[in-house]
Amino acid sequence: MTDKKTKRTKQSINREELESRILRCAEVVFAEKGYNGSSMEAIAASASISKQNLIYYFSNKELLYQRVLKEMLDIWIEKLSFLETQGDTPETVIRRYVREKMQLSRLYPNGSKVFAHEIISGAPVLKEYLISHLKPQFDRDVILVKSWISKGLVDDIDPEHLFFTIWAATQTYADFSVQMEVLLGKHRLDEADFERAESAVTDFVVRALGAKKNNYK
Amino acid sequence: MTDKKTKRTKQSINREELESRILRCAEVVFAEKGYNGSSMEAIAASASISKQNLIYYFSNKELLYQRVLKEMLDIWIEKLSFLETQGDTPETVIRRYVREKMQLSRLYPNGSKVFAHEIISGAPVLKEYLISHLKPQFDRDVILVKSWISKGLVDDIDPEHLFFTIWAATQTYADFSVQMEVLLGKHRLDEADFERAESAVTDFVVRALGAKKNNYK
DNA sequence: CAACAACTTGTCTTTCCGGTCAGCAATAAG
DNA sequence: CTTATTGCTGACCGGAAAGACAAGTTGTTG
C-alpha cells in the first residue's frame, strides 16, 4: 500500500517486521506473566494480531518462548565475551564489564526478566545451554581473575563468587526494578537512576577487588 | 493413632500440622512453576492429599499463594529489622546483616524464589505490602548509613544502592542456585559453598564500605 | 450410644487455552 | 487474466484446571 519502492519481496519484509514485533511483544508478556501465565491469545493481542495469525508465524508457544530466550542470550553472549581483552588493567576490564552488564539491564529489562523466571524455575529449557556455552566462558574468566591475583594486581578475592555478585548486582536493576521504584518513591527508574546505579556498583566492585589504582570519582 | 497423650483436640493438632505441610509443599511447587504453572492438583499431590481436601484447607489458589508469600515475608521482616542496633560498629552491623540474609537464602530458598517470581512479575500482590512495610524500614536504614557517612565511619558510598547490591548478592544464592550449580559443576550447593559465599559477599561489602577497621580473614 | 462437628473423597460443571482445519484474501508470477 | 503462493481468519476440538456440591467417614462430646 505505502511502499512502492520496496518492490523486492514486499511480503518478506512485512514478515520480518511482524516477526520481530511479535518477539518484542512476547518478551514483555513472558516477562510479566511467566511462561505458563502467558496465553498465546494475550501475546497476539499485545501484538495486535489474531491468535491464529500468531500461530501462523510461531507454530507453538514453546517455540516462541525459546526464540525469545535465544534472542536475549545471543545479545548477552555477544556483549559479555570481552574479559579476555588482555593488556588492559583489571580495573579497566572490570569497569567496562560492569558497565556493559548494567546497560543490558537498562536496555533489555524484559528479556532479563524472562531469563530470570527461567533460571528460578530450574532452567528446564536453558540448562543445556548454560552447560555448553556459559560454563566454558565462566571458567576462562575465572582463570583470568586468578591470574590477576597471582600477579598481585588485585587482592585475594574469591573469583567465582565475584562473578556471582557482579551478575546479581547488575541484573537486579532489571528484574527487581519494581521493588526499587517503590523504595525510591519513583514511578519509573530513569536515566539518572541508572547512572547512579552504574557508578555505585562499579565502585563497589573496584573497591572490593582492591585494584591497584583506585582513582574513581 | 499414635498420640494418646495429646488428648486435647487431636484434630486441631493434625490440622495445624497438615496446614503447615501444605504450605511447605505449596512453596516448593510455586517456586518451581510460578503461580500460573502450579495447579491445585499438583500441590495436593505433592502434599499427598486429594485436591478437594486441599481446597478444604485453603479455599482457593490465590489465598494459598498469599499465605505462602506472607509466611516468607514475616520471616524476613523479623530477621532483617535489626539495623538499628546502635552502639555496634558499622562493620559489625553489616557483617551480621549480610550473614542473616545469606542464611535466609540457605534456609528458605523456595520462599525466596516465590518472592522473586512475584517481584519480577511486577508485584501485583505484594506492591502494597512493600510500600507499607518495606519502604519505612528501608528509609530508616538508609538514614543510619548516611549518619555513618557523615560521622566518617564509612566512605561516601551510595546508601540506597548499597542495599540493592546487598540484597541482590545474597538473594541470588537462592534464586539463581541452578545457574551456580552448573557453573561450579555441582549437583547441589552444599554447606561449604554457602560458607564460602557468605564470607566472599561479606568481605566484598565491608571492603566496598571502606569501614574503618578492615580486619577480615 | 447418639448426635454433632470435622474431615475426606467422587462427581460434575464451567471456563480457559493450545492447537487444528478449512477456507477466504492478497500478492506474486506467468 | 490466470494461476499459484503466501498471508490471514472463523469455527471448532480436546484437554486441563478451578471450584461447587453432595455424600460418606471419622472423631468428639453429651
Side-chain angles (χ1 to χ4, degrees), chain A residues 100-200:
Chain A
E100 286 286 344
K101 197 84 183 54
M102 283 296 294
Q103 281 178 14
L104 291 176
S105 285
R106 181 178 355 188
L107 295 176
Y108 308 99
N110 294 306
S112 177
K113 286 176 184 177
V114 178
F115 178 80
H117 277 306
E118 165 72 13
I119 300 295
I120 294 171
S121 300
V125 172
L126 282 185
K127 199 158 198 174
E128 285 311 307
Y129 180 92
L130 296 181
I131 295 172
S132 62
H133 288 70
L134 191 58
K135 182 158 168 48
Q137 183 176 328
F138 176 74
D139 290 340
R140 281 203 319 276
D141 293 348
V142 165
I143 288 172
L144 175 58
V145 173
K146 281 182 177 165
S147 82
W148 288 348
I149 296 171
S150 67
K151 285 178 199 154
L153 296 174
V154 299
D155 289 349
D156 185 16
I157 41 85
D158 192 315
E160 286 93 349
H161 294 272
L162 170 71
F163 281 106
F164 297 161
T165 297
I166 292 176
W167 294 342
T170 50
Q171 183 143 2
T172 195
Y173 287 94
D175 302 342
F176 282 64
S177 56
V178 171
Q179 190 182 27
M180 294 174 191
E181 285 158 15
V182 167
L183 295 180
L184 296 178
K186 299 195 151 197
H187 190 59
R188 283 281 287 159
L189 297 183
D190 56 28
E191 286 291 311
D193 293 314
F194 271 97
E195 303 282 341
R196 273 183 65 199
E198 183 182 314
S199 106

Side-chain angles (χ1 to χ4, degrees), chain B residues 11 15 18 50 52-53 56-57:
Chain B
Q11 286 185 326
R15 173 153 202 136
L18 185 49
S50 69
Q52 300 87 330
N53 201 14
Y56 176 73
Y57 282 91

